[in-house]
Each structure stands twice: as C-alpha cells, then as structure tokens.
Amino acid sequence: MTPHRPLSEGPLSLPYQRPISYCRTFSSPLVEKVIDDLTSRMKDKDLARLFENAFPNTLDTTVRWHVDGKSGTSKRLKASDLDEGHWDGAQSFIVTGDINAEWLRDSTNQLTQYQPLAKKDKQLESLILGAINTQAEFVIESPYCNAFQPPPPSQVLPDSNGQDDAVHPAYEPTRVFECKYEIDSLANFLALGNQFYSSTRSKEFLHSRWYLALDTLLGVLEEQAKPTFDPKTGSFTRNEYLFKRRTSAGTETLSLGGVGNPLNGGTGLIRSAFRPSDDATILGFFIPGNAMMSVELTRTATILKAAGKGKLAEKLRTRGESIKKGIWEHGVVMHKRYGEVFAFEVDGYGSSIIMDDANLPSLLALPLMGFVEKDNKVYQNTRKMILEQAGNPYYLEGRAFAGIGGPHIGLQSAWPMSRLVQAMTSDDDEEISDALHDVRDSSRLGLIHESIHVGRVTDYTRSWFAWANSVFAQTILDVAARKPHLLFGKGAEPYRIE
C-alpha cells in the first residue's frame, strides 16, 4: 500500500489513505460528518488521521456490490436461484479487504460502527439491510461455511482460495470461498440483525428468507450439540460436519480424519470446529463463541417476541439459556494462580485450554458481547490472566509492541485488535491511553494491520484489513463517549452518535 499526502500534523506524519470520492464503493454524508466532528476536536492529530482513514474504510473500499432491491435482482439468475424470495430485496456483498470474499464475522463487525447512523441515513439503512439479506442467503445455502463468493446476481467473478479441502456437507465452490464451521459466524449473522433492530427499530429483515436462515441455523445448533459417542450405547456417532485440508499446518485442519477431538454430552454447549481466527479448535466447545451465541439468541428472541413470534422466541431463549448454563458449569475452571477463570475451550470431560486469541469473539471481549459485566469477578480474574505472559501463552511482548496474538500468524506477532479490545474493556485512563498510543505508533501506513511483529513495527501482516480498521473506529467512538478527556482534553464533553 502506498502512503498518500497530505500527511497528518502529528509527529508521526501519518498518510491520508482514503480513495478519491469517485473511487469509493459507498458514501454517507453522516459518516463524513462524524469524521469532521471528531477529528476537529481530537488533540492527537495522528490518532485523528487514523480515525479519518479507518472509520469509513469499509464504505470506501469493501462494498463490492449493493442493490436497494427496488429494481429487482433476478436478472441473469439460473433457474435454481429463482426460489421464492431468493435474492429479493436489498442485497450487499461486503468483502474483508484484500481478499475478494465475505466472511460472515468480518462483515458484521465491519458494519457495526455505522449501525447507529442507519436510523437517519436511508442509504446506510439499505446497505445494512442488504447485508442481512445477503448473509441470510449464505446461511440458507451453506450454514457450515464461514466465507463466501460474490452472489450470483452481482455478476462479480468468484475467486479460488487455492486449498485442497474435503468437507461434509459438500458445498459449491463458486458460491463458497471457504467452509470452516465456526459457531461465531452464525452468531454474527444474528448480531447483524440484532444491531440493526436496536438502532432502527425496523423489522423489515424479518421476512421468509430470514426465517428460513434462522431455522437452518437452529438445525446446525441442534446437530452440533450432539456428543461424539451415543450416551445410551457408547458407540461413535459421526458428526454432520467433517473437514480435512491437505496442509502442513496442524491448525488448518481437524484431527482424527476431519472429526476433531471427542466431546461429551449433556453440557448444553455447542461444538465449533474452528475459531474466529480460522484456526482449528483443540477442544470443540469454544467458550467465547458459545457466549456470543447465547447472547445473540436471547436478543433475537426479544425481537421475535415483539414481532408476534412468541413460540419461536421461546425456543431461542431456551437454547440461549442452555448454552449460558453450560458455560458457567463447564467453561469456568479453577486456576491455581488466578482463581476461577473462563477457559478458552473445553470438552465436557474436564479438560480445558487456558489461553486467549486476539480474534473476536474472545475471552477479553466477553463484556463487549454482553455476556458479563466488566466488574464480574470471574471475568476480572480471566482478564488479568490473559493479559500477561505468565497466564496466556499467546500474550506476546517485545521492544516495539505487545498484545494478544494467536497461532494463526505465529509466536512473534500480536494483533492491534487485542489492544483495542483491552481499551474498550478498561476504565483505567492510563491503560486506555497506552493501548491507543501503541496501536497508533504501529500503524505507520495510516491504517490498522492484522498483526504486528513485537520486535519491529515495520514487520506486519495485511495492510488492508477492514475488520481491524472498524474495531479501531469503534474504540475511538467508545472512548469519546466514556472518556472524552483522553481524546479532546481536560473537561471535554462526551461525543456520542445520537
């Protein structure tokens, strides 16, 4: 990525990294107003430049296709695509950045900072509604998959991920970019609609295709709640989802011929074959993903009740409570140094993995998801554990940077995203400022990277990673509302998107 002028007025002289207006993939006057409102008040001009670049990055660069649904989207579709309601209404295809594919998780997070503006900006409302509708189509067709090709009506050509995968259920590679089953992908589908309703109070997304996607999602949860061995006979029961990749990296495929390690029954927890980092789980009950699913099921149930779907709402609420109970019964373990903490993964037999990964959902982000309050004792114990090397094998420190990383990149690269989540889950001024400044000082290209080598900030992965830019923007908005003096100076009034 090439740095562009004008440079920021701060000591880092950070470049301006927005495309010219003509080349932006989507625009919103309200987004531009938020940028002007915030950056004009921010004392740190390098942080201001990062926000100016990062806040609109998803709109500027990743909206590969959007239609408002008023002119129809069925042109040139195959007969198999013309099911009742298929691709009807607004549609939006949001790519992750430097990969021409949409991850359910990434796209939901990429749009989060725009949700509060949707009630006042009809174009933004249409974009997000379109994203919900497009995700619904993805979930209906391939609910076990995490990343998707451009929708057929977009007429955007699909790409290959270059991998040799054997997956069950089978998928169509012109529709699916990658098929790693991750519980948080499905939770993020729910979250996108929940955030939209919370901001706009619109139920326009509650149509037949969305209900079919929800039913498909619930079917996956039912299947993935089953144990590895039949509780009555003790015999092995093959899981519906299998994944095998020809690879030399153990984190890229499932053990035991694509099955993964055994999981016990009666826990209330849901299996996840992969983590939000796209790395394979070791023990399939991934606690942050289960926590997110529990919260989003409960929130969706509230919307369904308001829509007059009481029976369906109760079904979701019951499943959400079952998962929540399972987390507190099986996902909380006693650590000899830190006391009661949340495990990262468990198997229901008593085994647990103690660590955290930078990718969201994470243990560090549990309060941001709404699963616990920040002052919860188990969370505070967990937070202390995962933010130091003695407690978290993937907390990485060096002379240039520090933070949580993960096996996806390696043992010398921490993710700025983890420092941003650290800031949003802290009430300590010094901790928040240190996190923001470390991310600022490691973002020399004017945008947020996926990971940073802890020994040298010039060694990074991904110069164009829209999810990370969105998390940075969300962090600045959070600090502007909670701790305005850290951005605007002593005695400053809070800034909130109303």
Side-chain angles (χ1 to χ4, degrees):
M1 181 174 286
T2 304
H4 299 281
R5 294 180 180 274
L7 304 179
S8 66
E9 297 176 2
L12 294 179
S13 299
L14 296 180
Y16 179 77
Q17 295 291 45
R18 298 189 66 186
I20 61 173
S21 299
Y22 178 78
C23 294
R24 294 171 188 170
T25 58
F26 197 90
S27 61
S28 164
L30 284 184
V31 167
E32 301 303 323
K33 184 178 186 302
V34 171
I35 294 171
D36 291 343
D37 288 349
L38 248 72
T39 57
S40 64
R41 293 179 59 188
M42 292 175 72
K43 299 298 183 182
D44 187 321
K45 296 307 176 184
D46 291 321
L47 270 181
R49 172 52 54 84
L50 281 178
F51 183 80
E52 180 182 13
N53 291 336
F55 180 59
N57 185 249
T58 288
L59 300 185
D60 283 355
T61 66
T62 71
V63 183
R64 192 67 81 236
W65 175 63
H66 169 65
V67 292
D68 60 16
K70 296 175 183 178
S71 57
T73 60
S74 60
K75 184 179 179 181
R76 297 186 185 179
L77 287 180
K78 298 178 183 178
S80 59
D81 291 321
L82 293 175
D83 297 339
E84 184 179 354
H86 200 172
W87 301 113
D88 275 358
Q91 302 288 334
S92 305
F93 182 64
I94 314 295
V95 301
T96 186
D98 52 10
I99 304 172
N100 189 43
E102 176 176 328
W103 269 252
L104 297 180
R105 169 187 56 256
D106 291 37
S107 57
T108 291
N109 284 280
Q110 286 169 242
L111 294 169
T112 294
Q113 69 269 22
Y114 310 127
Q115 292 272 14
L117 297 171
K119 60 187 175 183
K120 294 183 178 180
D121 186 328
K122 289 299 180 182
Q123 288 186 316
L124 265 182
E125 182 179 4
S126 175
L127 178 74
I128 299 171
L129 176 62
I132 299 170
N133 292 341
T134 298
Q135 283 198 9
E137 297 297 338
F138 290 154
V139 171
I140 291 167
E141 182 164 334
S142 298
Y144 283 99
C145 299
N146 59 321
F148 294 86
Q149 303 278 18
S154 73
Q155 300 181 40
V156 177
L157 294 177
D159 287 341
S160 170
N161 68 8
Q163 302 295 340
D164 184 7
D165 297 343
V167 182
H168 185 276
Y171 61 88
E172 170 52 56
T174 62
R175 305 293 189 92
V176 171
F177 184 81
E178 185 175 62
C179 198
K180 290 179 173 177
Y181 161 59
E182 301 159 357
I183 188 175
D184 70 281
S185 292
L186 296 176
N188 272 288
F189 163 65
L190 295 179
L192 185 61
N194 292 338
Q195 292 171 13
F196 181 73
Y197 176 80
S198 177
S199 297
T200 66
R201 282 299 185 262
S202 170
K203 302 187 188 78
E204 191 174 349
F205 66 97
L206 297 179
H207 48 69
S208 61
R209 299 299 287 181
W210 185 88
Y211 281 114
L212 179 55
L214 177 62
D215 187 61
T216 305
L217 180 155
L218 293 174
V220 170
L221 298 187
E222 185 69 27
E223 181 65 37
Q224 297 306 312
K226 296 177 181 177
T228 305
F229 302 102
D230 187 283
K232 293 182 179 179
T233 66
S235 60
F236 169 70
T237 303
R238 198 197 76 167
N239 196 284
E240 176 67 16
Y241 177 81
L242 303 173
F243 184 98
K244 292 187 290 184
R245 170 171 289 178
R246 190 182 299 274
T247 177
S248 60
T251 55
E252 286 294 314
T253 191
L254 294 180
S255 61
L256 297 172
V259 175
N261 289 313
L263 298 174
N264 207 354
T267 64
L269 298 171
I270 309 295
R271 176 202 188 210
S272 186
F274 289 86
R275 301 168 179 171
S277 61
D278 298 335
D279 298 313
T281 53
I282 299 171
L283 305 179
F285 292 142
F286 172 59
I287 295 302
N290 271 267
M292 183 179 185
M293 180 58 77
S294 172
V295 169
E296 299 303 340
L297 284 169
T298 302
R299 289 173 176 168
T300 303
T302 300
I303 298 173
L304 292 174
K305 185 176 181 180
K309 301 285 186 178
K311 187 175 180 180
L312 182 57
E314 187 57 32
K315 183 177 181 180
L316 268 66
R317 193 177 305 279
T318 299
R319 175 65 78 178
E321 285 298 319
S322 176
I323 296 172
K324 182 178 180 180
K325 181 180 178 183
I327 292 171
W328 287 105
E329 288 187 359
H330 300 277
V332 176
V333 300
M334 179 60 70
H335 194 289
K336 65 180 181 180
R337 179 170 181 173
Y338 300 98
E340 281 193 320
V341 297
F342 289 106
F344 189 64
E345 294 168 0
V346 298
D347 62 2
Y349 290 105
S351 298
S352 60
I353 301 294
I354 300 298
M355 59 169 282
D356 201 18
D357 188 287
N359 285 263
L360 304 176
S362 63
L363 293 178
L364 185 59
L366 287 175
L368 300 184
M369 294 180 228
F371 186 74
V372 292
E373 297 295 329
K374 281 189 291 189
D375 60 358
N376 177 272
K377 180 62 175 174
V378 178
Y379 172 73
Q380 283 298 318
N381 291 345
T382 306
R383 192 177 193 276
K384 181 179 180 181
M385 176 183 72
I386 60 182
L387 288 177
E388 58 186 37
Q389 285 188 313
N392 181 6
Y394 290 102
Y395 186 83
L396 310 173
E397 291 183 294
R399 61 182 178 84
F401 194 69
I404 299 173
H408 194 68
I409 300 300
L411 297 174
Q412 297 184 82
S413 294
W415 293 48
M417 192 182 298
S418 73
R419 297 303 304 277
L420 298 170
V421 174
Q422 183 179 352
M424 287 191 282
T425 56
S426 175
D427 290 321
D428 182 83
D429 286 7
E430 184 177 359
E431 183 179 14
I432 295 169
S433 294
D434 286 348
L436 288 178
H437 294 161
D438 285 353
V439 172
R440 175 200 64 192
D441 294 347
S442 67
S443 304
R444 301 301 175 86
L445 286 180
L447 291 166
I448 313 303
H449 299 301
E450 176 188 55
S451 72
I452 300 290
H453 192 290
V454 295
R456 50 187 182 276
V457 296
T458 54
D459 186 353
Y460 57 82
T461 59
R462 303 184 72 176
S463 58
W464 179 20
F465 186 36
W467 181 14
N469 290 317
S470 291
V471 175
F472 176 81
Q474 293 156 25
T475 305
I476 293 297
L477 290 170
D478 171 73
V479 175
R482 292 193 301 122
K483 302 277 188 176
H485 57 284
L486 298 182
L487 297 177
F488 309 134
K490 187 176 179 180
E493 292 295 317
Y495 179 88
R496 295 183 178 90
I497 297 177
E498 299 284 290

